[in-house]
Amino acid sequence: MTPSSTPRTSRTPPRRSVGRPPLLTRPLMLRFVSMIGASVSFFLLLSVVPAYATASGAGFATGALMLSTVLGELAGPRLVGRYGHRAALTAGLVLLGAPALVLTLSHSLAWIVLVCLVRGLGFALTLVAGGALTASLIPAGRRGEGLALVGVVSGVPSLIALPLGVWLAGRVGFTPVALAAGVAALAAVASVAGLPGRERAPGEPVGMVAALRTGALVRPAVVFATTALATGIIVTFLPLAVPAGSSGVVAVALFVQPAASTAARWAAGRYGDRRGPAGLVLPGLLLSAAGMLITAFTGSAAAVLTGVAVLGTGFGIAQNATLSLMYARVPASGYGTVSALWNLAYDGGMGVGALGFGLLAAPAGPAAAFAATGVLMPAALVPALRDRAAAATPPVPAGCPAKRPAPTAD
């Protein structure tokens, strides 16, 4: 707060700071309820459904889930624009929760795939509609810190629900876990009624086609996808890369990586609110690449733990910085599209990383493939440096990408 030039007297009440608007408002707290419900519902069954489908159908189940999630993310912005955030978020929670209640009615692979397709679409809608709504509830001056808090609120339930689902399924069976996942999403529907209704957002609508043609949005997404690629590789292949008998190291490493990511995401948010997020994209990428190179020394527990900590730090920085940048470069009407594009980068990066690494690791071995990935990741320096240069140009009107008009609807 800037001190008043007038001496304070008994007739002059203290001036309240207006520099930092409140972050934890009632609507944002209500949004956390639907966020936790969706996260718990999705991650409780993420590893349980493949086990229920047995080995022959596990790949089909997961593939159907991720395919429909990606397709839903592509269609999500249009649905949000037509029906509004609350309607789309409600539909997403229902589509995520209701099929889980009937998952175990049949062991048929076709039935399981159908359930996964519907749930993937529902999860995508919760990401796109919920992400856009969340962004609108966070003060612009505290966007980085707010997005970091959102990452914690959505991330902690996923860290707990993923192993909990597998543990419960082994002790009480698949049906109770499926019912719990369904109830978690459906119970959260009640919180949506307290969220802000549909309002006409300022600015022209931003469609996915326009967003994919806008370098100011695509460049951060590509950089983030590269860090997500590395994270997907670690989560999927680290248990196979370390020497036999080192399961304890793997368990600790898979905790250290998301813990470091969460802490870094929070720190990056606070820094970005004060200095701007543009300068954090490059460090996030370089730290992620360095983490992959260090983790390549899979025979050393110290190297593995250090590597995943460095990778997690870079990933957390990149998560916050890229999403903050992308939201800042569109009008409020484009928040749904930014949410969809960023989540596509997340899902696509992790999927491509797992697939490409598997092909590379087969002939070269996991350790060599880790090192090769770390060497190749700096290729994303090209869009990162271009974006940094674009960010250094003179400012343009709010909501418009640098040197470009605001994207239009596709």
Side-chain angles (χ1 to χ4, degrees):
M1 178 181 73
T2 304
S4 173
S5 59
T6 304
R8 185 176 296 167
T9 68
S10 60
R11 298 175 60 87
T12 305
R15 296 175 64 186
R16 300 182 65 181
S17 173
V18 294
R20 288 178 61 78
L23 183 59
L24 289 177
T25 60
R26 182 177 181 275
L28 186 59
M29 296 291 284
L30 283 173
R31 170 65 188 118
F32 286 165
V33 174
S34 59
M35 191 182 302
I36 292 170
S39 184
V40 168
S41 178
F42 182 80
F43 285 99
L44 266 180
L45 291 181
L46 185 59
S47 294
V48 170
V49 171
Y52 179 71
T54 69
S56 60
F60 288 102
T62 302
L65 180 70
M66 298 313 298
L67 174 63
S68 62
T69 299
V70 170
L71 293 177
E73 288 167 349
L74 288 170
R78 186 176 292 276
L79 295 174
V80 171
R82 182 170 183 178
Y83 298 107
H85 298 110
R86 286 197 306 190
L89 180 56
T90 299
L93 290 169
V94 171
L95 292 175
L96 181 62
L101 299 178
V102 295
L103 169 67
T104 57
L105 290 182
S106 171
H107 221 107
S108 163
L109 179 58
W111 176 254
I112 295 170
V113 167
L114 177 62
V115 167
C116 289
L117 286 171
V118 177
R119 295 190 78 238
L121 176 59
F123 187 57
L125 288 177
T126 67
L127 293 176
V128 176
L133 183 56
T134 303
S136 69
L137 297 175
I138 297 173
R142 303 186 69 180
R143 179 174 284 131
E145 186 179 0
L147 292 176
L149 179 60
V150 167
V152 173
V153 172
S154 62
V156 170
S158 67
L159 289 175
I160 296 173
L162 183 60
L164 180 62
V166 177
W167 184 83
L168 287 174
R171 283 155 180 79
V172 300
F174 292 109
T175 298
V177 180
L179 293 176
V183 170
L186 294 175
V189 171
S191 69
V192 179
L195 295 173
R198 183 172 184 175
E199 297 180 1
R200 175 68 179 177
E204 289 293 325
V206 183
M208 282 297 293
V209 173
L212 291 171
R213 292 174 178 172
T214 304
L217 298 179
V218 171
R219 289 189 297 266
V222 169
V223 176
F224 175 59
T226 304
T227 64
L229 176 147
T231 301
I233 289 172
I234 290 294
V235 171
T236 305
F237 290 97
L238 187 63
L240 305 176
V242 299
S246 298
S247 58
V249 174
V250 174
V252 174
L254 293 181
F255 173 80
V256 168
Q257 190 274 329
S261 176
T262 300
R265 190 171 183 179
W266 178 265
R270 291 183 64 84
Y271 178 93
D273 286 341
R274 290 158 176 78
R275 304 288 184 88
L280 294 174
V281 175
L282 190 58
L285 172 63
L286 294 177
L287 283 171
S288 298
M292 285 298 297
L293 289 172
I294 297 170
T295 309
F297 295 95
T298 54
S300 167
V304 169
L305 295 178
T306 301
V308 297
V310 174
L311 171 61
T313 300
F315 183 56
I317 292 172
Q319 277 184 298
N320 191 281
T322 54
L323 186 57
S324 296
L325 274 179
M326 292 167 71
Y327 277 134
R329 291 173 175 178
V330 296
S333 58
Y335 286 169
T337 298
V338 163
S339 178
L341 182 58
W342 189 85
N343 279 290
L344 276 173
Y346 198 158
D347 297 334
M350 294 191 74
V352 169
L355 177 61
F357 187 89
L359 297 175
L360 182 62
F370 279 143
T373 302
V375 170
L376 293 173
M377 285 176 64
L381 282 170
V382 175
L385 291 172
R386 287 190 62 188
D387 199 71
R388 193 168 185 174
T393 57
V396 293
C400 298
K403 295 187 177 181
R404 289 178 178 268
T408 56
D410 55 342

